[in-house]
Amino acid sequence: MPLQRASLRHFILGLLTQRPMSGYDIKRRLKSLSWLVGEPSFGSLYPALKALEKDGLVTMELENRENKPSRKLYNITEAGIQTLDEWISQPAGPNASLKAFVMRLILADNLSRSALIAQLYQRRAQIAAHRAALEDDTRWADDGADSVQRMALEYGLALANAELVWLDDALDRLLAQPQAVEVVQGD
Amino acid sequence: MPLQRASLRHFILGLLTQRPMSGYDIKRRLKSLSWLVGEPSFGSLYPALKALEKDGLVTMELENRENKPSRKLYNITEAGIQTLDEWISQPAGPNASLKAFVMRLILADNLSRSALIAQLYQRRAQIAAHRAALEDDTRWADDGADSVQRMALEYGLALANAELVWLDDALDRLLAQPQAVEVVQGD
DNA sequence: ATGTGCATGTAACTGGTTACATGATTCG
DNA sequence: CGAATCATGTAACCAGTTACATGCACAT
């Protein structure tokens, strides 16, 4: 199950914002998210880590533990954080898949609340446009198209509507929440 | 926007069951479906056609038209139909994406009503299992997980539910329809 | 004439996959 | 002692992409 276009590196960076991890750690973490974003193979994971290191977006340090095989712990660098930030703040392609969106959601959440909200708004606009397009298609397809194509259109509409409901809901809750961090100091 | 794993060839075969087409025709057709399945580039389309021809799944004949550039019309062969049939009748991977499913739906529809229904049932079972898994996750994630992961879970659940509703609806309508040909003999 | 659509292709690249290879540690 | 899990990697392959290249026909 592949991840989306050019995303594995970014996802790795996103995970490393939480804490330093080994390749194996990352695999385990991705596995727990696999229902959403898929699970990469070692054959892509380890090379990706090497590439990130070569590009200076992460650093590697060997962790030697007694009675356990040593392992490579990766840390994200400043440059890595910046790269991630740039990537997440540029809008997703208009045809971005569900998986790509969820991935961005998780990454955005690692960065900031405002990034998270931005992702939701962006997605909302895209899905709304998508639904409008589908509704157009439905109208002029009522006569000509074969039945399965109409079925597919309804399918797309049903999913778009469900997604919009969820997006509105999520945005409502997020915006209702107190700003969390930053403010608390007092207690 | 890529199509799913190893699917372009099959999708081409599926389109060719409707009528002979040129590479350009196929591109155009795929474009009109691009909101669902994505649109392949010529760089993959033409090589795919050549490969299909080499494997004997399609035949090519040059169509010379007056005052227009001649083009290559592709026809599906018996072997091609059989290959398509085999592919569609083997179950989709458990993590098959939405796009992959819609693609299979369209291809199944080209083959037979029963194949179409089979796809729907299959998908229904998979989504139901998926939903159950998500509900499990939601329960034990209520405490530990970070908020965005809970958001993602709800997102997945909302989509799964919407999809189940649509699937049931589609199945109802399909099964209510007259059988068209074949079965009517004795009831 | 110039751009748009029809029509076909190739070459270099990319981001993954599968299969293979190795080895330590832990648990039953 | 053997299996599962931890841990890291490489090589061959695959199905796509982008960018490039060509050329005809038709309309503005």
Side-chain angles (χ1 to χ4, degrees), chain B residues 24 28 46 65 71-72:
Chain B
Y24 203 88
R28 217 192 285 103
Y46 286 119
R65 302 161 303 166
R71 55 189 204 148
K72 297 182 172 180

Side-chain angles (χ1 to χ4, degrees), chain A residues 17-92:
Chain A
T17 60
Q18 300 177 335
R19 56 179 177 84
M21 295 189 195
S22 68
Y24 203 87
D25 281 339
I26 291 170
K27 183 77 149 50
R28 217 192 284 103
R29 184 89 178 91
L30 250 6
K31 192 176 186 175
S32 80
L33 260 35
S34 65
W35 59 276
L36 276 175
V37 292
E39 190 186 355
S41 59
F42 286 121
S44 58
L45 187 49
Y46 286 118
L49 280 167
K50 285 202 169 171
L52 285 172
E53 195 192 354
K54 205 193 68 187
D55 292 350
L57 306 182
V58 304
T59 56
M60 186 269 281
E61 106 195 77
L62 210 71
E63 183 198 25
N64 281 303
R65 301 161 304 165
E66 20 186 310
N67 287 347
K68 295 194 176 182
S70 59
R71 54 188 206 151
K72 297 182 172 180
L73 271 190
Y74 289 91
N75 263 279
I76 191 167
T77 65
E78 268 308 312
I81 291 177
Q82 205 188 317
T83 298
L84 183 57
D85 208 89
E86 276 161 23
W87 184 76
I88 207 74
S89 63
Q90 74 180 85

Side-chain angles (χ1 to χ4, degrees), chain A residues 2-13 87 103 107:
Chain A
L3 299 168
Q4 287 315 119
R5 174 146 197 70
S7 62
L8 178 54
R9 279 172 180 64
H10 293 109
F11 211 126
I12 291 174
L13 285 178
W87 184 76
M103 209 189 71
L107 296 192

